[in-house]
Amino acid sequence: MLTKDRIEEVLQFAESQVRRLVENYPDFFPIYTVGGKWFHTGELWTDWTGGFLAGMMWQFYRRTRSPYWREKAVHYSKLLEHRKEDRNVHDLGFIFLNSYLPWYEETGDPALKDVIITAGRTLALRYQPKGKYLCSFIGPHSLFIDIMMNVPIVFYAAIHTGDQQLMDIALNHCRTTRDRLVRPDGSVAHEGLFDVETGQFLRQSTHQGLSAESCWARGLAWSLYGFTKVHAMTGLEEFLEVAERNAQYWILHLPVDKIPYWDFCADLAQPPPWGAQKETSSAAIAASGLLDLARQTKVPEHSVAYRSTALAMLEALTDPQYLAISTPGWEGILKHAVYHTRKNLGVDESVMWGDYFFVEGLTKLALEKEASN
């Protein structure tokens, strides 16, 4: 059971792991471990995870009010500011909503808000008006499910500037993603391909899933969490419906131990990584998203199901099988995560976003328990 004491114990372990990371590799933003060690010189595929390291520091500060974590959070956030005009990635929401947004919420400094708005405007430049979507870093023909986690920064910029064009871009992107990547049963495709000249949708595809027709676990988690966040920002029921469809698929297809395999359609008879490879980062993302969705759904029975599933996943992740607390020398927080199966990057390792969303989910619970006392 996830008691208050157990949550605190695990979060203190997470703090110790991040403290060791910043002491051993100052000003370094790793993506995945290699043999349990953060420092890597291999391929990045794309540079998108800096906000998660700074974000963990802000999560630690929210809970502890420690001057150490505030100083580190500010320092590592500042190292990311130049990315606000980075047009090479579709991940500016990941980078700035986890770093500059909590910093702004702590201080109210308008200069920090301006950074977030600039990043939102930069992401909006990826918009393809004929297809009505924000394109991935792959190219103008490509739509990723991951962008559902980043489009909230466009909504943020639209809401805080009153820019209707930005709002339309964000809404159109969400609707295109819903119509082209989310399937009737709530599963999702990783990528959609479009004809750039006409905007016509061509087909579903994947870079990270088992196949174009499968359901890559992290992609489903991105969709569930992303549509939940967009509903919270807009109040539009159409997006709540998508998040609940995603949640239904997740819950119905989750293994007994509550930790998914890297793809919900993986052939478990095959050896890892293509078969029975667990994927803890997907569980962490979905758990944090389900905690939010449990508060947003209008159906009490759904709320109970979402929250109980989130708690079961987070409790499973605190077991030493997945938590590195009993693995000497392991530098990440969660073991058995996957970055990119096809490229053999960060397979059965720790990944920065898995650690972040695990910390975020547990921090939500810790602050809930503190507020109820």
Side-chain angles (χ1 to χ4, degrees):
M1 184 177 176
L2 278 179
T3 63
K4 180 180 178 181
D5 288 345
R6 178 58 175 163
I7 292 169
E8 183 62 25
E9 177 189 8
V10 173
L11 285 172
Q12 286 182 11
F13 167 70
E15 288 185 55
S16 69
Q17 294 294 82
V18 175
R19 185 186 289 259
R20 189 172 296 112
L21 165 60
V22 301
E23 291 173 353
N24 290 343
Y25 316 116
D27 297 352
F28 178 60
F29 289 95
I31 295 180
Y32 56 90
T33 60
V34 176
K37 306 298 184 184
W38 279 121
F39 189 75
H40 55 76
T41 57
E43 183 181 358
L44 300 181
W45 200 44
T46 177
D47 185 6
W48 60 286
T49 66
F52 299 127
L53 180 55
M56 278 194 282
M57 297 168 184
W58 283 115
Q59 292 291 323
F60 296 150
Y61 177 67
R62 284 184 65 208
R63 184 182 107 264
T64 67
R65 312 311 288 179
S66 161
Y68 173 86
W69 286 121
R70 191 185 192 285
E71 186 273 326
K72 291 298 181 184
V74 168
H75 175 76
Y76 276 81
S77 295
K78 285 180 178 179
L79 294 177
L80 299 169
E81 182 172 350
H82 68 284
R83 302 290 303 279
K84 66 187 178 185
E85 295 177 336
D86 185 348
R87 296 188 61 178
N88 295 319
V89 297
H90 57 251
D91 303 298
L92 297 181
F94 281 140
I95 294 169
F96 289 96
L97 293 178
N98 298 317
S99 58
Y100 271 74
L101 181 56
W103 189 4
Y104 170 67
E105 290 173 342
E106 286 288 340
T107 66
D109 183 347
L112 303 176
K113 184 179 180 182
D114 289 344
V115 171
I116 304 166
I117 291 170
T118 297
R121 291 192 181 280
T122 300
L123 181 58
L125 296 174
R126 305 194 70 83
Y127 188 64
Q128 305 298 306
K130 290 182 179 177
K132 297 186 177 181
Y133 59 91
L134 298 163
C135 68
S136 81
F137 80 100
I138 295 294
H141 62 289
S142 168
L143 164 64
F144 272 17
I145 194 66
D146 317 42
I147 304 172
M148 277 308 305
M149 292 292 288
N150 292 283
V151 70
I153 200 169
V154 183
F155 278 110
Y156 186 92
I159 292 166
H160 288 270
T161 63
D163 188 325
Q164 187 59 45
Q165 183 180 15
L166 283 178
M167 179 62 70
D168 291 343
I169 286 171
L171 290 170
N172 286 342
H173 173 84
C174 295
R175 289 164 179 155
T176 299
T177 302
R178 172 195 64 195
D179 297 342
R180 300 307 186 188
L181 298 188
V182 183
R183 305 180 183 118
D185 65 357
S187 66
V188 302
H190 179 203
E191 182 184 37
L193 300 178
F194 292 77
D195 183 311
V196 177
E197 297 300 322
T198 66
Q200 179 184 358
F201 177 68
L202 301 176
R203 65 185 183 277
Q204 294 181 347
S205 181
T206 192
H207 290 266
Q208 300 218 47
L210 183 68
S211 71
E213 296 76 30
S214 73
C215 185
W216 174 49
R218 192 161 83 241
L220 180 58
W222 290 147
S223 184
L224 188 164
Y225 195 123
F227 277 104
T228 298
K229 179 166 281 191
V230 167
H231 171 255
M233 297 182 81
T234 65
L236 294 174
E237 297 295 313
E238 62 184 289
F239 301 131
L240 178 63
E241 185 278 328
V242 183
E244 296 215 58
R245 208 176 344 141
N246 293 152
Q248 181 181 35
Y249 186 95
W250 185 279
I251 292 170
L252 287 176
H253 294 84
L254 202 57
V256 174
D257 73 351
K258 304 304 181 185
I259 306 300
Y261 299 96
W262 73 282
D263 192 296
F264 279 98
C265 301
D267 179 0
L268 301 184
Q270 291 191 43
W274 298 103
Q277 174 63 56
K278 289 291 190 176
E279 215 295 80
T280 55
S281 78
S282 299
I285 298 159
S288 190
L290 283 169
L291 289 175
D292 294 342
L293 186 58
R295 291 190 290 270
Q296 294 180 34
T297 181
K298 308 300 191 294
V299 183
E301 295 83 359
H302 291 179
S303 180
V304 171
Y306 301 155
R307 185 174 175 85
S308 64
T309 302
L311 293 175
M313 287 193 291
L314 288 171
E315 183 174 7
L317 291 173
T318 64
D319 187 279
Q321 178 182 356
Y322 297 115
L323 186 70
I325 196 165
S326 299
T327 308
W330 194 277
E331 294 180 346
I333 298 168
L334 288 180
K335 302 178 292 181
H336 305 306
V338 174
Y339 176 19
H340 201 306
T341 302
R342 292 176 175 274
K343 288 180 173 287
N344 194 30
L345 301 174
V347 175
D348 201 22
E349 295 283 349
S350 292
V351 295
M352 189 53 63
W353 57 92
D355 286 3
Y356 169 78
F357 284 103
F358 180 59
V359 166
E360 181 188 77
L362 289 179
T363 301
K364 288 174 182 177
L365 296 178
L367 294 178
E368 277 182 13
K369 291 180 182 294
E370 183 179 303
S372 66
N373 287 345

